[in-house]
Amino acid sequence: MDGMTLLRFCLVGLISAAAFASAGFIDYSDSFAPDSDLWERWQAHDAASTRTVDFSVWDELLGRYLKVDESGIARFDYGAVASADRNALDALIEELGSVPVSSLSRDQQMVYWINLYNALTVQLVVEHYPVDSIQDIDISGFFSSGPWEAERIGIEGAALTLNDIEHRILRPIWNDSRLHYALNCASIGCPNLLGRAWRVESVDADLDAAARAYVNNPRGFHIDADGNAVVSKIYAWFVEDFGGDEAGVIAHLKTYAEGDTAAALESLGSLSRSDYDWSLNAPLR
């Protein structure tokens, strides 16, 4: 993004956030999330490749520090990460940066990018902990807020940001709305961080499971005390990935809804408002 685009991004975000808060309805026309914008060089892959990437260190770290609480929220204990484990995480990310991504199969690339994004996010929070929200990690420069536009890793000679991985690689290449349930932004409002590394052999089933878990949790959809149908702001920010309009969002929700959530959606014609909790997904102290 150039400076003027970033400035517009920030201004639209502030205006849209104020509109959501004051008007009490969902305005899909002013989504302030980055667009899906293909970075063409990352389309390269080797369909015949059998090369795999080792995520065992990531498995170990998740098993040690991630726990799901009674409300179904996965919380990562950033403040408890031991020095040795912090070094292991840094070494893992350095190793992932040396992977020749273009020589991987398309399926292996998907899990590579998802795991890398999540590991980079955890690394960011660990580096800056304690913080109340990932938004407080303001390292993206004057025209942007938060950490998403900061260059965090070099791969095949290119410097990448978190936004590059999500919006210039994963979203435009795979065009799969379920990816929003796989990428974790260290926030309560975000879909859960998976308790193990994503793997090719189970990725499709895991994406479906992650979608069901989020849609059927109040963070994804709920009817509030006043009878309003409330959805996560994810569906407003990325409405283009969920059918392009409110009807598409509702149809998407129905695909994964179960029990009381499915019953509430059955005759629903519109959504009332959207919510999102940017509080850090750390354990309550």
Side-chain angles (χ1 to χ4, degrees):
M1 287 187 191
D2 58 34
M4 288 304 295
T5 302
L6 283 169
L7 180 59
R8 179 181 180 278
F9 172 85
C10 295
L11 290 174
V12 170
L14 290 172
I15 293 168
S16 299
F20 285 143
S22 61
F25 61 87
I26 304 172
D27 183 356
Y28 296 97
S29 65
D30 281 325
S31 173
F32 56 91
D35 291 332
S36 178
D37 180 22
L38 178 64
W39 191 346
E40 291 190 6
R41 67 160 291 170
W42 299 108
Q43 290 197 95
H45 65 285
D46 182 354
S49 174
T50 58
R51 185 187 184 115
T52 60
V53 180
D54 182 7
F55 297 111
S56 58
V57 171
W58 186 227
D59 279 328
E60 293 170 8
L61 293 172
L62 290 168
R64 196 165 295 141
Y65 297 107
L66 188 74
K67 298 291 184 292
V68 178
D69 68 16
E70 64 279 359
S71 64
I73 297 173
R75 296 177 180 271
F76 194 95
D77 201 349
Y78 304 98
V81 177
S83 177
D85 286 333
R86 181 170 177 168
N87 292 338
L89 176 59
D90 292 345
L92 168 65
I93 289 173
E94 183 176 356
E95 182 179 338
L96 292 177
S98 69
V99 171
V101 183
S102 298
S103 70
L104 299 177
S105 68
R106 183 65 89 208
D107 289 344
Q108 189 64 224
Q109 285 179 342
M110 176 189 271
V111 298
Y112 168 86
W113 290 118
I114 294 172
N115 287 325
L116 176 62
Y117 184 98
N118 291 337
L120 284 170
T121 299
V122 168
Q123 182 192 49
L124 264 169
V125 178
V126 169
E127 286 176 359
H128 293 86
Y129 192 83
V131 290
D132 294 327
S133 169
I134 192 173
Q135 290 182 308
D136 297 335
I137 305 174
D138 200 5
I139 59 173
S140 292
F142 180 75
F143 290 105
S144 189
S145 61
W148 296 283
E149 283 293 334
E151 293 178 349
R152 293 295 299 177
I153 191 168
I155 301 174
E156 294 186 357
L160 279 78
T161 69
L162 287 169
N163 272 351
D164 288 332
I165 296 172
E166 180 174 6
H167 307 296
R168 303 189 66 196
I169 300 173
L170 280 165
R171 288 177 64 206
I173 291 178
W174 280 275
N175 290 305
D176 190 333
S177 62
R178 298 176 302 169
L179 285 168
H180 291 289
Y181 304 112
L183 303 177
N184 185 269
C185 63
S187 300
I188 294 297
C190 192
N192 282 346
L193 181 60
L194 189 66
R196 54 177 170 75
W198 291 80
R199 289 185 172 79
V200 169
E201 56 268 23
S202 62
V203 65
D204 193 60
D206 288 339
L207 286 169
D208 276 343
R212 283 193 300 274
Y214 191 68
V215 169
N216 292 285
N217 184 279
R219 291 171 297 163
F221 170 84
H222 70 276
I223 303 296
D224 69 13
D226 297 320
N228 297 308
V230 184
V231 291
S232 168
K233 284 188 184 295
I234 288 173
Y235 301 115
W237 292 332
F238 302 106
V239 64
E240 65 181 290
D241 296 350
F242 296 102
D245 56 21
E246 191 165 283
V249 171
I250 293 172
H252 173 86
L253 295 172
K254 287 180 176 179
T255 299
Y256 298 101
E258 299 173 338
D260 292 343
T261 301
L265 285 164
E266 185 60 33
S267 58
L268 190 67
S270 63
L271 301 168
S272 306
R273 61 185 176 87
S274 59
D275 255 335
Y276 195 85
D277 186 349
W278 279 106
S279 303
L280 194 69
N281 62 339
L284 297 173
R285 301 296 186 189

